[in-house]
Amino acid sequence: MGKNNDIIASNQLFAILVNIVIGVGILTLPRTLAEKAGPDSLIVLAIGSVLFLVVALVIQKLVTKFPRKTIIEITNSALFKPVGFLVGLGYFIYTFTLVVLEVRVFGEITKNYLLVNTPIEIIIITFLITSIYLVRSGIESIARLSVIILPLSIFPAILAAAVAIPDLDFTYFLPILRTSWSDMMKALPSVFFSFLGFEFIVFIGFFVGDSKHIKKTTIRTVAFVSCVYFIFTAITIARFGIEESKNLIWPVISLFKSVDIPGTLLENVEVVIIATWLLAIFMTIAIAYFGATFLLSRLIKSKEQNYFAIALLPIIYFLALIPENIVEVTDFMNIFTNYMGTTFSIIIPGFMLLISFLRRKPKRGIKKNG
Amino acid sequence: MSNYEELFKPKEENQDKINLTKSLEENLKKVKRILKGSDDMVYREFNVGENQNLKFATAYAEGLADKVIVNEYVLKNLMVLARMTEPQVSNIREKVYELIKNGVLSVSDLKEVDDINVITDNILAGETVLLIDKWDKAIIISSKGWPMRGISEPQSDVVIRGPREGFTETLRVNTALIRRRIKDPKFKIKQMKIGSRSKTDVAVLFIDGLVNQDILKIVVDRLKSIEIDGILVSGYIEQLIEDNWRSPFPQIQSTERPEKVAANIYEGKIAIIIDNTPFALIAPTTFNSLLQASEDYNERFLMASAIRTLRYISMFISVLLPALYIAMLSYHPGMIPTELALYIAGNRDGVPFPAVIEAFIMEGSLELLREAGIRLPGPIGSTIGIVGGLVLGQAAVEAGIVSSLMVIVVAITAIATYSVPNYSFGSPFRLLRFAYMMGAAFLGLYGVVLVFLISLIHLTNLKSFGIPYLAPFVYNMSIKDLKDTFIRAPLHKMKRRPEYVAKNDKDRLSNHFNRDYLKKGEDSGGEK
């Protein structure tokens, strides 16, 4: 019962992290994997997940070392003051851009599959207003909602995918390990980037009350997400084959489309699945949105986080409408995740951890001497 | 240990104290002056003693005080029996109070007061006051007794298997009904008066050591802070102390069933009983607990679990069905199987309105019927139901204003709404249904998802006395928390109280109890 609305349990952190990570990325993952790794997609996915676990543990180590601190304060204490501001600003721009991109992707998916005749502007503005409600409700509400949304969004999708099992042909994954090592290495980053969002822990970790359990939560999160990815990649590629998977824009949505649940009341079940999947995307965006406003309020040391949420809305709205079409968005997103993602999820946390290790040792020495 | 006594300390009274004087006439005059214009007051002056030299007076409110008590056990004793007993003390005048209290009045509950305001308050609450000449104190004789409704079967929470007792309008009867179910000395009934004019008795019930002290403090503080002229029904208190008044969802449960209240008190919750209301309030309340019926615990667990699940599904039906129907018909006709789509098209042939308008007409008239049916006396009410439901629906379909499928949708929705066990919990769904229909009308399935999200966000924001409204769903996704939600686990598996409320004593069922032990006993019994 935190009175300031700023304490979450580690179990809720798990739900939040899974909700951030699983969102838009999974929809295209089978295609990128099929393009780059061919029949060895699943192996690459497995290796990539393990590697990401290492990265996640590095980030987690940093967060656990500085309980109840955001990346800004961490940097401040590890280095010196203005750097913290710059790093915080970097994270703000990063999360903010993510919000903009994902809002656009969300709008495109909704328009394509649910509301063909409705202008995308309406979809985006209604969506943003709804997410503002959540952002303004604070982290505790976000945490509670994450716990509820997680099963609501993932189980229908897994169920629908499971219906496709009789049609699967796993020979598409044969022969194994024929892809050259260099190709496999090239495919690894795309697995990596599908886990992006996890690095939000550097400022969401701030809210965790029982920071002892963050490590366990990290492992659980990565394990859970990679399981979900594994299931969907396996089923999608086994359903369509390598070649077809390469040509689908959203292979996972196509998977839902191809599913024909026998004896149901409804046809085109994919509409329902997409509708529930929208909940997952909503959570991704809303949490990122919250992160952006939270970082902003920390940067300028203001307590009026709720007003930033409203102030940012028109900016997000107009920026999201700039790209001409979805191809432009995905292209930009690829470049963006390649550079920004690497910087903010690997380089900065790793660097900070290194520095904090280096800086702590001499201090101990001084204490012993004194 | 617990500090609940401190919580209930009354606020400093700023009412002036008017001391009694030694003169009976003066005292009586003062009482009469305060109660001037109240023609239901009965004053009786009489003399006592062999020489008729002791002057007494009684005052009570007619209709509130039990006349039998006053006549038989107060007046008769004083006027007749007192003459028969030989006074053993020499100076009667000084010891008159002890004499009367210990030897004459055959009434168990007596109080001694010295303030005229207290006296008048007590008279108005139904007590009888005995004033004695040459003595500056008065005796309050407990004589509350007015015609009251007997204990009858509850009207709103009906069960098939379970006790038939329901609360009445009298506070004391209600607390007794619960006390009969909790014979624990740690079970506390703390009373306070709320309402500057109505002075309504409000009792707070809880088990010390089980109750969450933080919640108790919030409840008592909020109750104490109420400054209102009168409390008539429990809804006043409910609305004045609930967390979010904007929410359509009730954050306090109200029930007519004593065993439901007792069960909640055993879970560590707090009950509030208000005089003159046959409904007890239970706080804190969660979404989940409003979908629990007391019968669930009386049924075997498989059946109870099935009914629980059904109830959750019907809750979703009651809000979502018309919206989904609109969304599919107007935005996603591709989702409807071809044959059904053709049938619907044929069925809707000639209906002049789009599905949205059709749905609003039907849902609107349904609510109209419901309202009309409730307010009208019994036989006419059911006539309205039949006329409205059957004749109007049939006529509307035949006239081609609505399609018959729409009538079915509306009917299923209405039935689903009634399956919510708590009446006041059913109403937010009725209201939200229209929001979902609007969402579906403007943005199809996406609109429904948006409204769903908004209502979920609202629910996650909501708290009832510091407890998240959606507990236990919002903590962690372990099966352990879901024992009493969509399913109702077997009783011997529910060994602990709900963790989000009970912080102190968590064990409900002894850890040593298990079914294996019982089974062994049965086997050996069979061999004999």
Side-chain angles (χ1 to χ4, degrees), chain B residues 100-129:
Chain B
I100 289 167
K101 192 180 147 194
N102 302 333
V104 179
L105 292 178
S106 52
V107 180
S108 59
D109 187 2
L110 295 179
K111 264 185 291 180
E112 191 186 323
V113 294
D114 59 352
D115 182 358
I116 290 202
N117 282 323
V118 178
I119 290 176
T120 52
D121 283 355
N122 274 294
I123 293 175
L124 292 171
E127 315 286 27
T128 303
V129 175

Short mmCIF file of all heavy atoms in Angstrom, two decimals, chain B residues 100-129:
data_model
loop_
_atom_site.label_atom_id
_atom_site.label_comp_id
_atom_site.label_asym_id
_atom_site.label_seq_id
_atom_site.Cartn_x
_atom_site.Cartn_y
_atom_site.Cartn_z
N ILE B 100 -33.28 2.11 45.25
CA ILE B 100 -34.08 1.88 44.05
C ILE B 100 -33.35 1.00 43.08
O ILE B 100 -33.88 0.04 42.54
CB ILE B 100 -34.42 3.24 43.40
CG1 ILE B 100 -35.42 3.96 44.29
CG2 ILE B 100 -34.98 3.05 42.01
CD1 ILE B 100 -35.57 5.39 43.91
N LYS B 101 -32.06 1.32 42.91
CA LYS B 101 -31.30 0.59 41.91
C LYS B 101 -31.15 -0.88 42.31
O LYS B 101 -31.32 -1.78 41.51
CB LYS B 101 -29.92 1.24 41.78
CG LYS B 101 -29.14 0.75 40.58
CD LYS B 101 -27.78 1.45 40.54
CE LYS B 101 -26.74 0.52 39.97
NZ LYS B 101 -25.41 1.00 40.21
N ASN B 102 -30.84 -1.12 43.57
CA ASN B 102 -30.53 -2.49 43.96
C ASN B 102 -31.75 -3.27 44.41
O ASN B 102 -31.74 -4.49 44.33
CB ASN B 102 -29.49 -2.50 45.08
CG ASN B 102 -28.22 -1.80 44.65
OD1 ASN B 102 -27.93 -1.77 43.45
ND2 ASN B 102 -27.50 -1.23 45.59
N GLY B 103 -32.76 -2.59 44.86
CA GLY B 103 -33.84 -3.33 45.44
C GLY B 103 -35.18 -3.22 44.78
O GLY B 103 -36.05 -4.06 44.98
N VAL B 104 -35.39 -2.23 43.96
CA VAL B 104 -36.75 -2.01 43.49
C VAL B 104 -36.92 -2.27 42.01
O VAL B 104 -37.77 -3.05 41.60
CB VAL B 104 -37.21 -0.58 43.82
CG1 VAL B 104 -38.62 -0.35 43.32
CG2 VAL B 104 -37.11 -0.34 45.31
N LEU B 105 -36.06 -1.62 41.18
CA LEU B 105 -36.28 -1.72 39.74
C LEU B 105 -35.85 -3.09 39.23
O LEU B 105 -34.70 -3.47 39.36
CB LEU B 105 -35.49 -0.63 39.01
CG LEU B 105 -35.96 0.79 39.24
CD1 LEU B 105 -35.05 1.75 38.52
CD2 LEU B 105 -37.40 0.97 38.81
N SER B 106 -36.77 -3.82 38.67
CA SER B 106 -36.40 -5.12 38.14
C SER B 106 -36.13 -5.02 36.63
O SER B 106 -36.74 -5.67 35.81
CB SER B 106 -37.49 -6.14 38.42
OG SER B 106 -38.72 -5.64 37.98
N VAL B 107 -35.22 -4.11 36.30
CA VAL B 107 -34.80 -3.94 34.92
C VAL B 107 -33.29 -4.12 34.90
O VAL B 107 -32.60 -3.64 35.80
CB VAL B 107 -35.16 -2.53 34.40
CG1 VAL B 107 -34.72 -2.36 32.96
CG2 VAL B 107 -36.65 -2.30 34.54
N SER B 108 -32.79 -4.84 33.90
CA SER B 108 -31.38 -5.22 33.97
C SER B 108 -30.44 -4.08 33.60
O SER B 108 -29.33 -4.00 34.08
CB SER B 108 -31.11 -6.42 33.07
OG SER B 108 -31.46 -6.09 31.74
N ASP B 109 -30.87 -3.20 32.73
CA ASP B 109 -29.94 -2.20 32.21
C ASP B 109 -30.27 -0.82 32.74
O ASP B 109 -31.27 -0.22 32.35
CB ASP B 109 -30.01 -2.24 30.66
CG ASP B 109 -28.95 -1.36 30.03
OD1 ASP B 109 -28.16 -0.77 30.78
OD2 ASP B 109 -28.93 -1.28 28.80
N LEU B 110 -29.43 -0.35 33.64
CA LEU B 110 -29.64 0.98 34.21
C LEU B 110 -28.40 1.83 34.01
O LEU B 110 -27.29 1.32 34.02
CB LEU B 110 -29.92 0.87 35.71
CG LEU B 110 -31.19 0.16 36.14
CD1 LEU B 110 -31.25 0.13 37.65
CD2 LEU B 110 -32.41 0.86 35.59
N LYS B 111 -28.63 3.12 33.84
CA LYS B 111 -27.48 4.03 33.73
C LYS B 111 -27.76 5.24 34.60
O LYS B 111 -28.91 5.61 34.82
CB LYS B 111 -27.31 4.48 32.27
CG LYS B 111 -26.28 3.67 31.49
CD LYS B 111 -26.08 4.25 30.10
CE LYS B 111 -27.30 4.04 29.24
NZ LYS B 111 -27.21 4.55 27.90
N GLU B 112 -26.66 5.86 35.06
CA GLU B 112 -26.82 7.03 35.91
C GLU B 112 -26.24 8.21 35.17
O GLU B 112 -25.09 8.17 34.73
CB GLU B 112 -26.04 6.76 37.21
CG GLU B 112 -26.30 7.75 38.30
CD GLU B 112 -25.37 7.48 39.47
OE1 GLU B 112 -25.10 6.30 39.77
OE2 GLU B 112 -24.91 8.45 40.07
N VAL B 113 -27.02 9.26 34.96
CA VAL B 113 -26.49 10.42 34.23
C VAL B 113 -26.79 11.71 35.00
O VAL B 113 -27.66 11.74 35.87
CB VAL B 113 -27.11 10.53 32.81
CG1 VAL B 113 -26.69 9.37 31.96
CG2 VAL B 113 -28.62 10.65 32.89
N ASP B 114 -26.06 12.77 34.61
CA ASP B 114 -26.28 14.03 35.31
C ASP B 114 -26.41 15.20 34.34
O ASP B 114 -26.23 16.34 34.70
CB ASP B 114 -25.15 14.29 36.32
CG ASP B 114 -23.80 14.34 35.64
OD1 ASP B 114 -23.75 14.02 34.43
OD2 ASP B 114 -22.82 14.68 36.31
N ASP B 115 -26.69 14.91 33.08
CA ASP B 115 -26.74 15.96 32.08
C ASP B 115 -28.10 15.92 31.38
O ASP B 115 -28.53 14.87 30.91
CB ASP B 115 -25.61 15.73 31.07
CG ASP B 115 -25.57 16.82 30.02
OD1 ASP B 115 -26.44 17.71 30.04
OD2 ASP B 115 -24.68 16.75 29.16
N ILE B 116 -28.75 17.07 31.33
CA ILE B 116 -30.11 17.09 30.77
C ILE B 116 -30.10 16.77 29.28
O ILE B 116 -30.98 16.10 28.76
CB ILE B 116 -30.77 18.45 31.06
CG1 ILE B 116 -31.03 18.50 32.56
CG2 ILE B 116 -32.07 18.61 30.28
CD1 ILE B 116 -32.07 19.43 33.01
N ASN B 117 -29.03 17.20 28.59
CA ASN B 117 -28.97 16.88 27.17
C ASN B 117 -28.88 15.38 26.92
O ASN B 117 -29.49 14.85 26.00
CB ASN B 117 -27.77 17.58 26.53
CG ASN B 117 -28.06 19.03 26.28
OD1 ASN B 117 -29.20 19.38 25.92
ND2 ASN B 117 -27.08 19.88 26.49
N VAL B 118 -28.11 14.72 27.77
CA VAL B 118 -28.02 13.27 27.65
C VAL B 118 -29.38 12.65 27.92
O VAL B 118 -29.79 11.70 27.25
CB VAL B 118 -26.94 12.72 28.61
CG1 VAL B 118 -26.87 11.21 28.53
CG2 VAL B 118 -25.59 13.33 28.31
N ILE B 119 -30.06 13.20 28.89
CA ILE B 119 -31.39 12.67 29.23
C ILE B 119 -32.32 12.78 28.03
O ILE B 119 -32.97 11.80 27.63
CB ILE B 119 -31.97 13.44 30.44
CG1 ILE B 119 -31.17 13.07 31.69
CG2 ILE B 119 -33.44 13.13 30.62
CD1 ILE B 119 -31.61 13.84 32.90
N THR B 120 -32.36 13.96 27.43
CA THR B 120 -33.30 14.10 26.30
C THR B 120 -32.89 13.21 25.14
O THR B 120 -33.73 12.60 24.48
CB THR B 120 -33.36 15.57 25.84
OG1 THR B 120 -32.03 16.01 25.62
CG2 THR B 120 -34.02 16.44 26.86
N ASP B 121 -31.58 13.09 24.88
CA ASP B 121 -31.13 12.19 23.82
C ASP B 121 -31.62 10.78 24.06
O ASP B 121 -32.08 10.10 23.14
CB ASP B 121 -29.60 12.16 23.75
CG ASP B 121 -29.04 13.40 23.07
OD1 ASP B 121 -29.88 14.19 22.58
OD2 ASP B 121 -27.81 13.56 23.03
N ASN B 122 -31.53 10.36 25.32
CA ASN B 122 -31.95 9.00 25.64
C ASN B 122 -33.45 8.82 25.52
O ASN B 122 -33.91 7.77 25.07
CB ASN B 122 -31.49 8.63 27.05
CG ASN B 122 -30.08 8.10 27.03
OD1 ASN B 122 -29.81 7.05 26.46
ND2 ASN B 122 -29.17 8.85 27.61
N ILE B 123 -34.19 9.84 25.91
CA ILE B 123 -35.65 9.74 25.77
C ILE B 123 -36.00 9.58 24.30
O ILE B 123 -36.81 8.73 23.92
CB ILE B 123 -36.33 11.00 26.35
CG1 ILE B 123 -36.13 11.04 27.87
CG2 ILE B 123 -37.82 10.98 26.04
CD1 ILE B 123 -36.67 12.31 28.50
N LEU B 124 -35.32 10.36 23.47
CA LEU B 124 -35.63 10.29 22.04
C LEU B 124 -35.18 8.98 21.42
O LEU B 124 -35.65 8.60 20.35
CB LEU B 124 -34.96 11.46 21.31
CG LEU B 124 -35.55 12.82 21.67
CD1 LEU B 124 -34.71 13.93 21.09
CD2 LEU B 124 -36.98 12.92 21.18
N ALA B 125 -34.25 8.30 22.08
CA ALA B 125 -33.82 7.01 21.56
C ALA B 125 -34.69 5.88 22.08
O ALA B 125 -34.47 4.73 21.74
CB ALA B 125 -32.36 6.77 21.91
N GLY B 126 -35.66 6.21 22.93
CA GLY B 126 -36.58 5.17 23.38
C GLY B 126 -36.38 4.72 24.82
O GLY B 126 -37.02 3.79 25.27
N GLU B 127 -35.45 5.36 25.52
CA GLU B 127 -35.24 4.95 26.92
C GLU B 127 -36.20 5.71 27.84
O GLU B 127 -36.77 6.73 27.45
CB GLU B 127 -33.79 5.26 27.35
CG GLU B 127 -32.73 4.88 26.35
CD GLU B 127 -32.48 3.39 26.27
OE1 GLU B 127 -33.41 2.61 26.57
OE2 GLU B 127 -31.38 3.00 25.89
N THR B 128 -36.31 5.22 29.05
CA THR B 128 -37.15 5.90 30.03
C THR B 128 -36.25 6.55 31.09
O THR B 128 -35.26 5.96 31.50
CB THR B 128 -38.08 4.89 30.72
OG1 THR B 128 -38.84 4.25 29.71
CG2 THR B 128 -39.02 5.57 31.68
N VAL B 129 -36.62 7.75 31.47
CA VAL B 129 -35.81 8.46 32.45
C VAL B 129 -36.57 8.53 33.77
O VAL B 129 -37.77 8.77 33.79
CB VAL B 129 -35.49 9.89 31.97
CG1 VAL B 129 -34.76 10.65 33.04
CG2 VAL B 129 -34.69 9.84 30.71
#
